[in-house]
Amino acid sequence: MREVAMYAQERQEHILRAARTIGRVEVAELAVQLDVAPETIRKDLTALERGGVLRRVHGGAIPVERLGFEPAVAARDVVLTAEKERIAKAAIAEIPEDGAVLIDAGTTTARVADLMPGDRELTIVTNALQLAGKLAAYPNLNVLLIGGRVRSRTLASVDAWAQQALAGLYVDVCLLATNGVSVERGLTTPDPTEAAVKAAMISAARRVVLLADHSKVGHDHLARFGDLEDVDLLITDTGLDERTAAELAAAGPRVVRV
């Protein structure tokens, strides 16, 4: 049973990557490519739609990004989990032994909280409710939660209160999240209010480390909040090919694939 479940997960990740790459996938073509019955593909598409990352259309599916729709945290948290874990582990090495760290809201940055060493004397600043709750349990950490309106879709605080708080801060490193990153458009996210907060985070940090799995690369969203040259280090996964990684590095940041 476990092998079947693992194979289904791998197949669905392949379908999602294909949909994001070409913009649409067809049941018949996927059945041939993956050597399974069309009904199996339809079940995969249903599972991905329930996860909030694809939308079923006649004969196939399209990624929700094409609809201008932003998946909720729970939907995004179950996609590319192994890659996000590796990226989060690599990000821990970028956190100083002491000082101040700004952590953006996101499903990959949230994993940093689970891996945070308990012996470091740090001030953690975040706009992510879930992340603040986890880190508050560490006795050596001084956790500052940025206030503002909380977006239900991302559980992140945004708007003027959040921007004002960030305007008065300067931290050692910012662990930043994004929905899209490309050489042409830089860093983008679907919501303008979150984009404004992310831009303020970049300005508030001495060093910016972007955590983004390979599915974010090459995708552009409504609101732009930074350039690649604003990023010092991009940590991604080995699903990103070397050529694209080199193109991103040429635009500014050092790129590490884990």
Side-chain angles (χ1 to χ4, degrees), residues 170-185:
Y170 193 53
V171 302
D172 297 292
V173 62
C174 170
L175 301 184
L176 190 67
T178 189
N179 295 78
V181 54
S182 69
V183 173
E184 296 78 14
R185 303 298 180 204

Side-chain angles (χ1 to χ4, degrees), residues 45 48-49 52-57 60-64 67 69:
L45 296 182
L48 289 165
E49 185 174 46
V53 292
L54 288 186
R55 184 65 56 87
R56 295 288 300 274
V57 295
I62 58 177
V64 293
L67 302 171
F69 176 76

Side-chain angles (χ1 to χ4, degrees), residues 2-165:
R2 184 179 178 184
E3 292 181 356
V4 172
M6 287 293 290
Y7 179 69
Q9 181 180 354
E10 293 171 356
R11 190 173 61 240
Q12 289 165 18
E13 289 183 355
H14 170 89
I15 292 170
L16 180 59
R17 283 196 297 270
R20 285 173 166 166
T21 299
I22 63 179
R24 178 185 173 116
V25 288
E26 302 289 340
V27 170
E29 292 179 6
L30 287 170
V32 173
Q33 291 173 9
L34 299 175
D35 194 24
V36 294
E39 183 57 31
T40 299
I41 297 298
R42 293 189 186 96
K43 290 179 180 178
D44 288 334
L45 296 182
T46 297
L48 289 165
E49 185 174 46
R50 287 173 179 168
V53 292
L54 288 186
R55 184 65 56 87
R56 295 288 300 274
V57 295
H58 181 70
I62 58 177
V64 293
E65 291 89 347
R66 285 295 180 98
L67 302 171
F69 176 76
E70 184 180 8
V73 172
R76 290 183 285 115
D77 197 42
V78 297
V79 178
L80 299 175
T81 55
E83 289 85 348
K84 290 175 180 178
E85 289 287 341
R86 297 199 302 270
I87 292 169
K89 287 180 181 178
I92 291 294
E94 304 304 320
I95 296 176
E97 291 296 324
D98 54 36
V101 178
L102 178 57
I103 306 181
D104 189 13
T107 56
T108 304
T109 51
R111 284 168 166 75
V112 173
D114 298 323
L115 300 170
M116 184 70 70
D119 58 348
R120 298 191 186 182
E121 300 280 351
L122 293 168
T123 293
I124 304 292
V125 185
T126 184
N127 69 327
L129 270 67
Q130 290 180 320
L131 194 147
K134 290 180 180 179
L135 293 178
Y138 289 74
N140 292 340
L141 299 180
N142 178 33
V143 180
L144 304 180
L145 178 60
I146 297 171
R149 178 177 64 86
V150 178
R151 291 192 69 225
S152 60
R153 191 157 293 280
T154 60
L155 299 180
S157 55
V158 296
D159 287 342
W161 283 359
Q163 291 175 246
Q164 290 170 8

Side-chain angles (χ1 to χ4, degrees), residues 235-256:
I235 303 177
T236 185
D237 61 87
T238 51
L240 183 69
D241 62 272
E242 292 185 7
R243 178 179 178 180
T244 304
E247 291 174 352
L248 292 169
R254 182 166 67 92
V255 178
V256 172

